[in-house]
Amino acid sequence: MARILVGIEPRHADNSPCGHAVKPSGKPRDPNSGCSGRTAFAVVCSEHGDVGSLHHVKAVAEPAARTHRDEHRTALATH
Ligand SMILES: [Zn+2]
Ligand SMILES: [Zn+2]
C-alpha cells in the first residue's frame, strides 16, 4: 500500500498552484515571475486530491492537513 502524503499547496486566485517565491504578504517577490499573488492554501492528499475547501491563511490550512492525516491514521488502525 502506498504511503499517503498530505501537504499544503499554495494557490493563486484562479486556483492554479503557486510555486513562486512570495513575500509574507502573499505578493510575488519577483514582479516579472508571472505570479498573480498567493491568495489561498489547499490541503492536498495523495489519495484524495484536494481536501475540503481552500484556506486563506496557512495557519488554518496546517491544522486541517493534520486533521486529515489523523483521519488516515485512524482508518488504518481499524483495519
Ligand atoms: Zn505564484
Ligand atoms: Zn486523504
Side-chain angles (χ1 to χ4, degrees):
M1 188 183 150
R3 198 174 135 79
I4 295 157
L5 296 171
V6 182
I8 295 167
E9 187 177 80
R11 297 279 170 88
H12 299 126
D14 66 358
N15 207 27
S16 58
C18 177
H20 305 103
V22 296
K23 295 175 188 171
S25 62
K27 299 268 179 272
R29 260 179 216 285
D30 178 1
N32 300 316
S33 65
C35 181
S36 55
R38 214 172 261 195
T39 58
F41 295 88
V43 176
V44 183
C45 172
S46 60
E47 190 173 301
H48 298 111
D50 283 19
V51 175
S53 49
L54 294 172
H55 303 282
H56 291 285
V57 285
K58 203 175 181 182
V60 177
E62 277 165 351
R66 213 176 300 133
T67 301
H68 190 70
R69 243 176 249 137
D70 285 345
E71 281 167 11
H72 276 294
R73 210 170 293 141
T74 308
L76 287 173
T78 55
H79 279 294

